[in-house]
Amino acid sequence: MELLQLVIGGLANGCIYGLVALGFVMIYKASEGVNFAQGDMMMLGAFVALGFGNSDQMGLPFGLAVIAAMVLMFGVGWGVERIVVRRIFGQPQFALVILTIALGFVFRFIAGSIWGFTPLVLETPFAGQNLRGGGIVISLADLVTIGVTLALTIALWAFFAFTKVGLAAQAASQNQMAAYIVGVPVMRINSLIWGLSGAVATLAGVLYATRGAIDPNIGLLGIKAFAAAVIGGLGSLPGALVGGLIIGVVEPVAGRYAPGELAKMSPYIIMLIVLVTRPGGLFSQIQMKKV
Amino acid sequence: MRVVFKTSYDRDIDLHEHGRSRARIAVLLAIMIVLPFLVGDYYLAEATNTLIWALAGMGLMVAVGHTGQVSLGHAAFLAIGAYADSALMNTGLPFLVSFPLAGLVTGLFGALIAVPAVRMSGIYLAIATLAVFVIVEELVIMLEPITGGVGGIMAPSISILGLTFDRYAALDHFYWLCLAVVALVTWGYANLMRSPTGRSFLAVRDSEVSARALGINVTRTRALAFGLSSGVTGLAGALMGHYIGFFNYELFSIFISINLLLVVTIGGLGFIQGAFLGAILITAVPQLIAILRDNLVAVGVDLSGVPGLDTMIFSLILICFIIYEPTGLYGRWLKIRTWFEVFPLARRDMFRRQKSYLKTERMK
């Protein structure tokens, strides 16, 4: 029973890792770059929703506040691509890594100077409501998290697999020049994907905030989400979710049954094992390099 | 424009392009040696700190600048170096033995990690080193008998042949010790870069496929570069431990890794000089911010209540450099120097970089 309870809590946690990882994967799918600021975008999204929704701030209804925050963060993601990322177009990959790490600090500073560094609680309609059955307690927030994550993963997967824009984004990442020649507006697609990943990050942030207080340093969760994306294989949306769930479940179980600090290390140990044994991740998409 | 007239093949691979460059280095070294007589203790301590950062920066430069392996986990190697040195000295070994041993241990650990890690490239390697960093941080807390756990560990004061090199009691001695280490490492590094090994690092960085076609063992070269890089960083960590005196795992946070990346990127990727310029910047800017803050208080603006301002300013500097001057401070200096040397023939596109367009091996 205890194990089952841990697993269910872990699944909900894993969904949040998975959601942040989805943001990584989307940008990776579209531009083969990694946005290390994704965790901080999630944090900023949660704070923006809090700013719109909490009764002592703007006091909008919860649903409206979340949608407003997603729209605003879409703008932030789009703007970041437009103003900063586009300028390093054509530079080596690691330039983007360093750039987005720096951006993450800027986001953290912005959130810290607006909302302060003391933890705040987002007011949600499903706070404190639990479902009981057979000795297991499931909070409504967990159920909502799992449901939203599943729906979003399927929607994004369909977006990349079937829509014209999604396919164009994949073409742009596989061969920028060729995609440009056949008429894919590479730049505009990149901006759009960054905007979308901002909106997804906001959703992840809001779901994270339903489960506890938030402060500007929760963005560090991004590192764990990153491990999730790598375990699934960067570039695979279902893989990101599976990676997130693996980490989410292993962490509390290891915390309960394994000694000491092993629980904190477990996501990274799993990631290293996956990287060594299957360098492309569980849902590998990389073929051997051919000359 | 200066024309170097070469009369033998040895001149082609000489460490210095011409006599004046050799003289410049000698003058610089002389000034650095007499520095303790010129400035007070405060600035001497800052200079020591800068030297240690430059050493760590050189360590990272081997990996990032010269072999093209981005590492986000070099703080872990600093930590291993610091803990190994202090722990060995606490068992009674003299500094002259424990210091190289600390570098060796770190280098071996780095090479051990590199064996699986070099099979990855680019982003994946950066992530793997990040994971290694987190694991090392937790290990430091777990291995309490050696590392002192959360409480921390004391770096014993150094004495060689009866001379004391304590950070507080004999700062000038400690400064000279750091200077000697940095000078030796720089000399070795510069020589390495003109040896076949160093050249193969560059070949691997510029094109892995061509390097392999030329008969370079890419895996071994990258592992060697990563091991060397972590070894040098470990030496810097050992000195940093002595400089701080008493430290625990919090000294080596992820921010240190990022500051180190800042040192090499802002200084100039692929130039040894870049590591020094970056180190000067990263140790000077917090001081400048502090001075600026005091002056702003005098005119009525109080910024002391804004937390994280330093990090924010660093981040903005970094963003501006990546966008506007990807070759860093040293690259900018080269451009300015060339402009003067060829005056008035400098053209705008002399340093234009080839843009590379993305292609991937992903098939789905």
Side-chain angles (χ1 to χ4, degrees):
Chain A
M1 260 325 120
E2 194 194 357
L3 187 64
L4 200 61
Q5 183 75 54
L6 280 177
V7 168
I8 290 172
L11 280 180
N13 239 339
C15 281
I16 296 187
Y17 297 146
L19 272 179
V20 180
L22 283 184
F24 282 125
V25 171
M26 280 168 66
I27 290 179
Y28 191 80
K29 254 178 136 54
S31 62
E32 196 95 341
V34 174
N35 175 17
F36 271 82
Q38 193 70 32
D40 297 285
M41 267 161 108
M42 174 200 96
M43 176 273 298
L44 200 59
F47 270 107
V48 170
L50 185 145
F52 279 129
N54 268 18
S55 48
D56 58 337
Q57 307 225 358
M58 277 174 68
L60 295 177
F62 180 71
L64 199 63
V66 172
I67 291 170
M70 281 173 72
V71 171
L72 189 71
M73 287 304 291
F74 181 93
V76 169
W78 187 81
V80 162
E81 204 282 337
R82 206 57 226 274
I83 297 167
V84 185
V85 176
R86 184 169 293 188
R87 292 185 180 241
I88 60 162
F89 193 75
Q91 276 191 39
Q93 234 182 5
F94 73 84
L96 185 67
V97 173
I98 300 172
L99 186 79
T100 49
I101 288 176
L103 269 179
F105 283 111
V106 173
F107 286 155
R108 207 171 302 167
F109 178 79
I110 293 172
S113 41
I114 299 177
W115 288 282
F117 283 89
T118 42
L120 295 174
V121 177
L122 176 70
E123 295 163 9
T124 58
F126 32 82
Q129 295 184 32
N130 294 322
L131 305 176
R132 281 161 211 283
I136 301 171
V137 185
I138 306 172
S139 75
L140 195 58
D142 283 2
L143 275 185
V144 171
T145 306
I146 294 173
V148 170
T149 308
L150 281 179
L152 198 65
T153 310
I154 292 169
L156 282 175
W157 172 77
F159 169 74
F160 275 104
F162 300 118
T163 66
K164 207 171 165 185
V165 178
L167 287 173
Q170 296 208 51
S173 91
Q174 284 180 2
N175 192 333
Q176 264 174 358
M177 194 51 119
Y180 185 74
I181 288 168
V182 298
V184 174
V186 176
M187 301 277 201
R188 220 179 317 146
I189 295 266
N190 276 355
S191 301
L192 178 76
I193 296 293
W194 273 77
L196 270 182
S197 85
V200 172
T202 309
L203 211 52
V206 169
L207 290 174
Y208 181 85
T210 59
R211 303 161 53 75
I214 50 173
D215 68 85
N217 287 324
I218 59 167
L220 291 176
L221 181 128
I223 302 180
K224 244 182 248 171
F226 209 66
V230 173
I231 290 172
L234 275 173
S236 161
L237 289 165
L241 187 59
V242 171
L245 291 180
I246 291 176
I247 287 183
V249 171
V250 167
E251 222 180 1
V253 172
R256 175 70 183 77
Y257 297 104
E261 307 280 339
L262 210 61
K264 271 173 147 178
M265 284 152 68
S266 59
Y268 309 102
I269 294 177
I270 297 174
M271 180 174 101
L272 278 185
I273 292 172
V274 168
L275 276 179
V276 171
T277 52
R278 276 185 71 102
L282 294 180
F283 292 74
S284 177
Q285 299 185 312
I286 300 176
Q287 322 281 316
M288 265 308 284
K289 191 173 229 168
K290 297 189 188 80
V291 182
Chain B
M1 191 173 175
R2 184 184 301 124
V3 177
V4 182
F5 183 58
K6 290 172 180 157
T7 47
S8 78
Y9 289 118
D10 287 341
R11 285 299 305 276
D12 261 339
I13 55 165
D14 199 22
L15 201 52
H16 303 277
E17 200 185 341
H18 41 72
R20 218 179 301 172
S21 134
R22 199 185 308 264
R24 228 171 6 222
I25 297 289
V27 169
L28 181 67
L29 198 61
I31 292 176
M32 295 297 281
I33 289 173
V34 297
L35 197 67
F37 305 112
L38 304 176
V39 298
D41 266 4
Y42 177 76
Y43 286 103
L44 195 60
E46 285 303 312
T48 315
N49 195 15
T50 311
L51 281 178
I52 295 172
W53 272 96
L55 187 60
M58 277 194 283
L60 189 59
M61 190 67 87
V62 181
V64 182
H66 285 126
T67 328
Q69 298 172 294
V70 185
S71 163
L72 295 176
H74 260 56
F77 301 125
L78 277 178
I80 294 172
Y83 279 111
D85 182 57
S86 293
L88 286 171
M89 280 185 79
N90 279 335
T91 62
L93 282 174
F95 178 76
L96 277 183
V97 180
S98 74
F99 183 62
L101 261 184
L104 193 68
V105 167
T106 322
L108 285 179
F109 183 78
L112 196 73
I113 291 170
V115 171
V118 290
R119 286 168 51 197
M120 312 159 212
S121 61
I123 298 292
Y124 284 92
L125 182 70
I127 301 160
T129 51
L130 193 66
V132 168
F133 165 74
V134 178
I135 292 172
V136 167
E137 196 180 23
E138 300 298 333
L139 276 180
V140 163
I141 301 174
M142 276 169 84
L143 295 173
E144 198 174 340
I146 305 171
T147 63
V150 182
I153 190 173
M154 173 97 171
S157 81
I158 309 163
S159 80
I160 302 168
L161 305 172
L163 246 116
T164 172
F165 287 86
D166 189 71
R167 147 95 173 83
Y168 294 101
L171 181 61
D172 46 352
H173 288 178
F174 185 67
Y175 168 81
W176 279 319
L177 178 73
C178 291
L179 183 63
V181 172
V182 170
L184 276 177
V185 169
T186 313
W187 181 70
Y189 189 2
N191 274 308
L192 175 76
M193 289 327 290
R194 63 192 185 113
S195 72
T197 317
R199 300 283 198 231
S200 65
F201 288 178
L202 296 181
V204 168
R205 176 191 68 181
D206 292 338
S207 168
E208 212 175 289
V209 176
S210 327
R212 188 165 281 145
L214 285 169
I216 293 168
N217 184 341
V218 174
T219 315
R220 212 186 57 196
T221 307
R222 296 178 82 186
L224 179 68
F226 205 80
L228 272 178
S229 162
S230 43
V232 172
T233 314
L235 291 181
L239 287 179
M240 196 177 272
H242 286 291
Y243 178 75
I244 303 286
F246 189 89
F247 56 91
N248 68 356
Y249 69 99
E250 281 174 356
L251 174 62
F252 308 100
S253 63
I254 185 77
F255 300 106
I256 298 288
S257 287
I258 291 166
N259 276 354
L260 266 178
L261 264 185
L262 204 92
V263 165
V264 293
T265 335
I266 292 184
L269 280 176
F271 303 107
I272 301 176
Q273 293 90 331
F276 285 86
L277 290 176
I280 292 170
L281 188 97
I282 204 152
T283 44
V285 165
Q287 310 291 336
L288 288 179
I289 293 175
I291 293 169
L292 197 69
R293 197 175 272 175
D294 290 347
N295 287 337
L296 282 178
V297 168
V299 296
V301 185
D302 189 10
L303 287 177
S304 56
V306 187
L309 192 66
D310 293 16
T311 338
M312 163 80 174
I313 289 176
F314 272 136
S315 308
L316 286 183
I317 294 176
L318 189 56
I319 291 174
C320 289
F321 262 98
I322 287 181
I323 293 177
Y324 297 108
E325 190 53 274
T327 49
L329 283 171
Y330 192 72
R332 171 51 59 184
W333 157 242
L334 279 184
K335 286 176 193 172
I336 294 171
R337 196 178 67 184
T338 313
W339 191 86
F340 278 108
E341 275 179 352
V342 301
F343 185 82
L345 300 173
R347 284 181 301 116
R348 211 171 187 189
D349 289 345
M350 274 173 81
F351 289 94
R352 211 163 86 180
R353 287 155 49 116
Q354 172 98 39
K355 277 197 175 174
S356 60
Y357 294 96
L358 187 75
K359 263 180 157 177
T360 178
E361 281 79 50
R362 270 189 309 127
M363 288 298 147
K364 271 186 244 174

